[in-house]
Every structure is written in structure tokens, then in C-alpha cells.
Amino acid sequence: MIGRRALLSGLATTGLAARALAQPALPRLGILSPASIDAAVSLLVRGPFLAALAEMGYVNSRNIAIVERFGEGDAARLPQLAVELVILQPRVIFTNTNVAATALARATRTIPIVVGPA
């Protein structure tokens, strides 16, 4: 026989799990860079871009999910990384190079691609 506390605990846990599952996922923003995350160009572009998003009220994991892929200096990796981002279904993808934008354009015709300063 199930005790009263165990029953109430189980019901509470089930309710919390159901509520968590019912919450919509955060909208995703994809970022594709041919550089590494700690490269100088990433610091010059990525930092100000994320800061501008925060100024507009978009904060990662609070009201937006930012998914990033980095080519680590190998442009040949960009087509596969672009496909990985497209599979995640972001609402928009940001990049700062023509080579990354080209890889993204080949990977999707439906997700908007924003190309910022290099």
C-alpha cells in the first residue's frame, strides 16, 4: 500500500514534470563562425553581437536559446556545421563571413540568414 506522503510526492513530481513539458521551448538563434570561439575575430564580432542582443532584452537561456557552431579555422567544416544548425531549426542564423553564409544558403532555403560585419 502506498503511503500518503509517497502518493502526494508522486503527484507533485508528476505535476511538475507535466508543467515543464508543457512549457514551449525557447526560440533559437543560430550562430556559425569559421573561426574558433576564442579567436580574435570571434572576440571582435561575437562579443558585441551578444551584448547588442542583451541590450534589446535577449539573454541566452532566459528568453532565447543561442546555438553556436565554430569551424576552428577550417572552412571545409562549414557545410556540415551549417547542416547541424539547420537541423536545430533556429528562427534565424547569424554569421560574419561570406564563406559561412554560402554554406548556410546551401543548407537552408527557409531559415533567414543574417550576415554581419567581418
Side-chain angles (χ1 to χ4, degrees):
M1 179 176 244
I2 297 176
R4 182 175 174 205
R5 284 187 182 177
L7 178 62
L8 291 175
S9 176
L11 290 173
T13 302
T14 303
L16 292 174
R19 192 175 322 144
L21 291 174
Q23 291 178 351
L26 294 175
R28 288 187 190 97
L29 163 69
I31 298 176
L32 179 61
S33 173
S36 66
I37 192 169
D38 57 354
V41 69
S42 289
L43 297 175
L44 291 173
V45 175
R46 184 176 175 269
F49 179 71
L50 295 177
L53 285 174
E55 286 177 19
M56 293 185 290
Y58 296 103
V59 178
N60 191 28
S61 299
R62 184 172 18 160
N63 57 4
I64 191 168
I66 299 175
V67 291
E68 300 176 278
R69 297 294 183 268
F70 297 92
E72 303 297 331
D74 183 1
R77 295 184 62 209
L78 293 176
Q80 177 59 37
L81 295 173
V83 169
E84 287 179 20
L85 281 175
V86 168
I87 288 170
L88 296 172
Q89 295 287 313
R91 292 195 182 170
V92 64
I93 303 174
F94 171 79
T95 189
N96 65 320
T97 68
N98 288 337
V99 67
T102 300
L104 288 165
R106 289 183 179 142
T108 183
R109 298 274 186 235
T110 58
I111 300 171
I113 301 163
V114 176
V115 183

